[in-house]
Amino acid sequence: MITLDGVRKVYPGPVVALDGIDLSIPAGEIHGIVGQSGAGKSTLIRCLTALEKPSEGHIWVDGQDLSALGPKELRIARRSIGMVFQGGNLLDARTAGQNIAYPLKVAGLDRGHRRERVQELLDLVGLGDRGNSYPSQLSGGQRQRIAIARALAARPAVLLCDEPTSALDTQTTDQILTLIKDVRDQTGVTVVIITHEMSVVRDTCDSVTLLEKGRVVQSGNVGEIVADT
Ligand code: ADP
Ligand code: ADP
């Protein structure tokens, strides 16, 4: 579902943020990308969403080579990638329902179908009766559930989660990670979780890549890798 082949990213300086990344994530897996601050995790995620272009190498997402696409094709390809950020990133002036509806509006879905899909997504994340609440009226965990619903709205093939639980307490973290697993089980979406917490990987991921200074130091099955860290 996701393949990186020799991906290098060099910023002016020069700073080598990614130094030849090879990586393959099969459809339906939950894959963790772990590394200390500065390891290259954000750069990797920006390359996966094509916000950043690799200096060298190729990235395939859902069968498409991102580097071969023009601006218009990229906009369409981005719809098959859902994003969840630390803290949720919801629009405060919009209700939970309107936040979830936004990507559907952009995709041109009519009002009736939007309403139907939004309700389905609210139910999926366990907040069926909170569609009319504003983000300020929701807890941190609830806001993150809405952010996950919004990311899934356009039925993406890939869900990228950037530090999805780092603003949450332990109990809420467990609930959000359980939700991510349930969502994968129900929809078959491929999930990438960027984190600096090994516990998140241990509890949630099928496979993991450890990044250090822009390089893959270990990659594989969680059982094998967590055992020797
Ligand atoms: P992480 O997300 O793991 O903390 P980053 O991808 O943010 O790592 O950063 C990797 C390296 O690239 C760091 O050395 C960082 O300083 C550098 N870097 C990131 N973004 C830029 C940029 N826009 N310009 C120059 N250097 C950058
Ligand atoms: P409106 O359509 O009300 O004028 P927007 O154009 O911003 O406002 O879109 C809001 C969309 O959000 C609605 O079309 C509907 O699909 C969705 N929506 C908002 N709140 C809810 C809710 N509580 N339950 C279901 N859908 C909702």
Side-chain angles (χ1 to χ4, degrees), residues 11-12 15-17 35-44 46 52 211:
Y11 292 111
V15 178
V16 182
Q36 301 292 320
S37 174
K41 304 185 298 297
S42 311
T43 302
L44 183 62
R46 287 203 300 275
E52 200 90 72
L211 274 190

Side-chain angles (χ1 to χ4, degrees), residues 9 11 42-43 46-54 59 78:
K9 177 69 190 182
Y11 292 111
S42 311
T43 302
R46 287 203 300 275
C47 286
L48 282 174
T49 53
L51 292 172
E52 200 90 72
K53 226 180 150 77
I59 300 180
R78 283 206 193 96

Side-chain angles (χ1 to χ4, degrees), residues 49-50 53 66-67 69-79:
T49 53
K53 226 180 150 77
L66 296 184
S67 56
L69 302 179
K72 190 179 169 193
E73 296 163 310
L74 266 182
R75 269 201 304 279
I76 294 167
R78 283 206 193 96
R79 287 189 203 147

